[in-house]
């Protein structure tokens, strides 16, 4: 009798394990190709004179929110199957305890974008973005505060269909040791699990959700997690002209994809990692280099039997030439498809967009998306 009970217990455990794994694998695959719809992450657009406790609360409004309706139609028409919605929820809540919403009136804007996306048959990733405000506000991203934020977010969205709505716990944790992030992520997982037991969680590694940090990470003891990474390789190509990524990138010009010719090293880049990257670009700025990197993360996912998701990839359009951007997008879409990795382009509108100035999808970007083919 005892043996039978033990056998039954083992079978139940195993089938839950296998069932759990297949559910999460299926849900990950169903994401396919999508895009980030930035706006609720743009905390830097706050009216700084009215900010309460310096947390940038008033950066969102209904006029801008309503424009996202048309964007979501364009995204669905482009054949995409999900949208990642980065939200700086942290800007709408107090920094100090007891935590409370200071801008509760902004949350229905997010509800609307989620509802419009679902109406267009797009799956939705609700992503907690920029909780640390680029380090400008101390204690904005403590575990306690994030736990509070996630209990509020999970309670608000727990009744949305777990086949269609996913919860991404924290975008690009950085300047945090791997162990500290792991402890924080575990707390967030525990918090959301109690409230939304069936929703799939999306979790990445420290170091800006980097691929190299993820391959060093051990999966969590929860079978309903998709592991995310961001892929901006080769960084000096995807971020040339960017003012926020440091060390001379803002003055960098003329990086093509794939690598051709020589590039002038901006003065601010001399002696910095950017100079080194420019010198290595002949090796790093190739399709093979990108394919090899993506194969590496795929191998990690196979070895650990967990699904992965590329939550951000793209290129800044300020100074890069259009054809290079398209060639870069094309090889990444194609490789992600052949490796069966679901992925989200950064970003539908804004500086990394695939649209021209009249909001029409650039033809060679359309072709690039079509390169994403899974079995
Ligand atoms: C940030 C954006 C930035 C993008 C590319 C995202 O995670 O939120 O502000 O433009 O990465 O650097």
């Amino acid at each position: 009798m005892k043996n039978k009970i033990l056998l039954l217990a083992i079978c139940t455990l195993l089938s839950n394990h296998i069932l759990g794994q297949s559910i999460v694998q299926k849900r990950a695959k169903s994401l396919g190709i999508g895009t980030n719809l930035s706006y609720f992450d743009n905390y830097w657009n706050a009216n700084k004179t009215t900010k309460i406790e310096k947390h940038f609360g008033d950066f969102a409004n209904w006029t801008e929110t309503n424009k996202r309706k048309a964007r979501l139609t364009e995204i669905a028409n482009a054949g995409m199957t999900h949208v990642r919605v980065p939200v700086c929820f942290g800007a709408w809540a107090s920094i100090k305890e007891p935590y409370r919403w200071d801008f509760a009136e902004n949350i229905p804007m997010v509800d609307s974008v989620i509802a419009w996306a679902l109406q267009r048959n797009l799956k939705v990733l609700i992503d907690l973005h920029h909780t640390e405000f680029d380090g400008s506000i101390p204690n904005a991203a403590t575990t306690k505060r994030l736990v509070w934020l996630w209990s509020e977010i999970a309670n608000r969205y727990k009744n949305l269909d777990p086949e269609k709505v996913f919860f991404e716990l924290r975008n690009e944790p950085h300047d945090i040791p791997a162990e500290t992030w792991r402890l924080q992520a575990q707390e967030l997982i525990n918090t959301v699990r109690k409230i939304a037991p069936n929703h799939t969680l999306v979790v990445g590694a420290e170091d800006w959700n980097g691929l190299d940090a993820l391959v060093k990470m051990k999966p969590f003891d929860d079978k309903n997690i998709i592991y995310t990474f961001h892929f901006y390789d080769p960084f000096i190509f995807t971020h040339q002209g960017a003012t926020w990524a440091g060390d001379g990138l803002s003055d960098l010009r003329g990086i093509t994809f794939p690598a051709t010719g020589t590039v002038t090293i901006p003065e601010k880049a001399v002696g910095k990692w950017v100079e080194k990257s420019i010198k290595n670009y002949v090796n790093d700025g190739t399709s093979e280099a990108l394919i090899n990197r993506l194969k590496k993360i795929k191998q990690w996912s196979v070895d650990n039997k967990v699904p992965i998701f590329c939550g951000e990839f793209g290129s800044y359009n300020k100074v890069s030439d259009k054809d290079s951007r398209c060639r870069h997008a094309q090889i990444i879409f194609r490789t992600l498809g052949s490796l069966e990795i679901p992925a989200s382009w950064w970003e539908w509108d804004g500086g990394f967009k695939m649209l021209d100035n009249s909001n029409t999808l650039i033809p060679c970007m359309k072709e690039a998306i079509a390169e994403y083919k899974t079995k």
Side-chain angles (χ1 to χ4, degrees), residues 41 44 129-130 171-172 230 232 239 244 312 346-347 352:
D41 53 319
W44 50 85
H129 215 82
H130 285 318
N171 179 68
E172 298 189 344
H230 292 178
Y232 283 113
H239 281 71
W244 63 93
E312 290 186 16
W346 183 275
E347 59 196 319
F352 285 61

Side-chain angles (χ1 to χ4, degrees), residues 70-71 74-75 77-78 317 322 325-326 347-349 353-366 369:
R71 300 288 87 82
E74 291 158 10
I75 292 167
N77 288 345
N317 67 7
K322 173 173 75 53
R325 288 186 72 221
C326 285
E347 59 196 319
W348 192 250
D349 42 12
K353 68 182 179 184
M354 313 175 136
L355 311 173
D356 63 19
N357 290 338
S358 56
N359 276 343
T360 309
L361 193 54
I362 298 171
C364 59
M365 283 295 185
K366 196 172 175 179
I369 300 173

